[in-house]
Amino acid sequence: MSNIQSGNKDRLHHWDFSWALYLMLGIPFHAAVIYSLAHEWAVSSPDKSQVLTWLSSFLHTFRMPGFFLLAGFFSIMLLDRKGPMIWLKSRLFRLGVPLFSATLLILPFQIVVQSVALSVNGTLPWADLSAYTTGQLTQFGEPWISHLWFLWSLIAYCVGLAMLHALVGGANLRAALDGLVGWVTRNRIASFIGFAGLCAATAYVQSVVVAASPYYGNAVINYNAYILYFCLGVILFHSSKMQDLLVKPGPTAACVGIVLAVLSVFPYTDLLGHTLNVIAGIAGALLIVGYISNLAVKHFNRPNAKVRKLVDASFTIYLFHHPIIFVLATLFLLVNLPPIIEFVIIAVVAGVSSYAIHQLISKSSILSMMLGSNATSRSGRSLVKVTG
């Protein structure tokens, strides 16, 4: 049996490190993308930085893949135990309530701040600010999804998994996944060819969707791109071979993963280039996530009070760091500091402030339920309860 599942399955302390890390990396990612040359964020600075462009692009290659991999792993764990109906009802409540609450309490504030930022940087005349803000608040668009997209995606993935589990049965699903892993192990060349073909098909579909609707097409792709990692997490739970492979990458493999991740964000001009980008992105993400998993199993396989505190706070921190960064990025439009200095200030202040908000929210059971800070517990099952 793999190290991942050794001992009491309920007490998976070593995953707390990975869970907290992937969510907490949202802070430097969103603070860096303000200054990115590659992306025009909701609140962007006119002062760009190549270093921060690289940092934001690099973090993007593995942060959410790792999150959804763990989400798939623990989703199937609890689904097997509870059954599809009970499990899905729990998921819809634990994910849906924070999604609904944050949509009503956080996103309108962000929309207002984003509109003000446009006037501060001169893009939107101050005289038009009120009408523009009202329009943004009263019509559905990306600002009404924002950083909560992962909850929408996770809910959709959970619904799909529950339906599949109910249709084929847990035992049959487990047998099919075991058979798939066995076939891949015995037919590695054919498996790689199939994987490359799937990546080519994915690249082609992406190009067609984006060409049909650049704005909504990119949104559809971005919100559904992580289903692969969620599915890999499901397979991972049922396969000790896959679990052993996950925690195998060491520093050398991590370096290879970083190189592949960097290559995956290079611009491409044709379908072949796009396909190679997709292959490099997936392989790079898995190698980096594997190395993080390796570290987690080696160094965080027992209760750790400090890590547990971060895990308990991580979901609320993720919800609230985003609007705080919006405010700070808007304020920094009024001054002229080097991007790196602004980035450090924004990341530190956003991290400390959002943790302070968690501390306040955790004192109220109602607010904790609304904003997800009670989705974790102190029993060593925190990751299971949030993603499961």
Side-chain angles (χ1 to χ4, degrees):
M1 182 168 289
S2 130
N3 289 331
I4 292 180
Q5 288 187 265
S6 61
N8 185 344
K9 289 184 181 180
D10 282 340
R11 309 184 73 86
L12 300 173
H13 300 288
H14 46 274
W15 286 126
D16 283 354
F17 171 77
S18 300
W19 165 249
L21 178 64
Y22 294 133
L23 282 180
M24 298 296 288
L25 283 177
I27 296 175
F29 169 71
H30 289 122
V33 81
I34 298 169
Y35 307 95
S36 174
L37 292 161
H39 304 282
E40 193 67 21
W41 200 48
V43 181
S44 290
S45 172
D47 301 318
K48 304 300 182 181
S49 166
Q50 187 60 59
V51 171
L52 295 178
T53 298
W54 179 86
L55 178 62
S56 62
S57 297
F58 172 66
L59 291 176
H60 186 65
T61 61
F62 72 89
R63 186 175 64 90
M64 296 314 293
F67 172 86
F68 278 102
L69 186 78
L70 294 180
F73 183 96
F74 288 104
S75 290
I76 194 63
M77 172 192 285
L78 289 190
L79 177 55
D80 277 350
R81 293 181 188 176
K82 297 182 177 182
M85 291 304 296
I86 295 177
W87 174 78
L88 184 58
K89 181 179 179 180
S90 172
R91 289 303 83 215
L92 292 178
F93 179 80
R94 289 186 177 273
L95 297 175
V97 171
L99 173 59
F100 180 77
S101 302
T103 297
L104 294 182
L105 298 176
I106 294 177
L107 297 191
F109 174 76
Q110 285 191 170
I111 291 173
V112 172
V113 175
Q114 182 180 354
S115 300
V116 171
L118 292 175
S119 293
V120 172
N121 67 20
T123 302
L124 177 69
W126 285 100
D128 298 334
L129 175 60
S130 178
Y132 177 84
T133 303
T134 301
Q136 291 294 298
L137 288 170
T138 55
Q139 66 183 15
F140 180 77
E142 193 280 333
W144 278 108
I145 298 177
S146 190
H147 65 305
L148 304 182
W149 67 268
F150 82 100
L151 289 174
W152 288 103
S153 296
L154 187 53
I155 289 173
Y157 298 168
C158 288
V159 170
L161 181 60
M163 291 176 61
L164 178 63
H165 195 279
L167 287 173
V168 305
N172 290 334
L173 178 59
R174 186 180 306 110
L177 295 177
D178 286 341
L180 175 62
V181 172
W183 187 89
V184 170
T185 302
R186 295 189 303 270
N187 302 274
R188 297 182 181 181
I189 296 178
S191 298
F192 179 78
I193 294 174
F195 170 68
L198 181 61
C199 289
T202 300
Y204 175 75
V205 171
Q206 287 180 345
S207 63
V208 171
V209 171
V210 172
S213 176
Y215 180 80
Y216 291 104
N218 273 308
V220 169
I221 291 170
N222 291 335
Y223 299 151
N224 291 282
Y226 300 99
I227 190 171
L228 167 67
Y229 302 100
F230 185 85
C231 292
L232 286 174
V234 172
I235 297 173
L236 184 72
F237 177 72
H238 287 307
S239 172
S240 59
K241 293 180 181 178
M242 290 285 290
Q243 292 170 19
D244 291 336
L245 285 174
L246 177 69
V247 300
K248 189 175 182 179
T252 301
C255 291
V256 174
I258 292 172
V259 172
L260 291 173
V262 172
L263 292 176
S264 71
V265 300
F266 275 30
Y268 53 84
T269 58
D270 52 23
L271 180 60
L272 176 60
H274 192 177
T275 300
L276 293 176
N277 274 27
V278 172
I279 294 174
I282 295 173
L286 292 177
L287 287 173
I288 296 171
V289 168
Y291 180 59
I292 293 172
S293 302
N294 181 306
L295 294 177
V297 171
K298 286 182 177 179
H299 303 293
F300 297 93
N301 59 352
R302 59 184 60 85
N304 184 307
K306 293 182 180 179
V307 173
R308 186 181 64 203
K309 287 181 179 179
L310 284 179
V311 173
D312 290 343
S314 59
F315 189 77
T316 309
I317 288 175
Y318 187 85
L319 292 183
F320 282 95
H321 84 278
H322 207 259
I324 293 171
I325 288 179
F326 268 44
V327 172
L328 294 172
T330 301
L331 292 176
F332 273 116
L333 292 174
L334 301 172
V335 298
N336 188 25
L337 294 176
I340 297 294
I341 294 178
E342 292 185 4
F343 161 78
V344 172
I345 295 173
I346 289 173
V348 171
V349 173
V352 173
S353 300
S354 53
Y355 182 77
I357 291 174
H358 161 75
Q359 294 290 85
L360 293 174
I361 288 176
S362 64
K363 298 181 184 299
S364 167
S365 58
I366 295 178
L367 289 176
S368 295
M369 179 189 69
M370 291 174 58
L371 295 166
S373 62
N374 72 332
T376 60
S377 75
R378 295 184 178 276
S379 63
R381 305 180 188 182
S382 55
L383 181 58
V384 177
K385 292 193 177 235
V386 174
T387 62

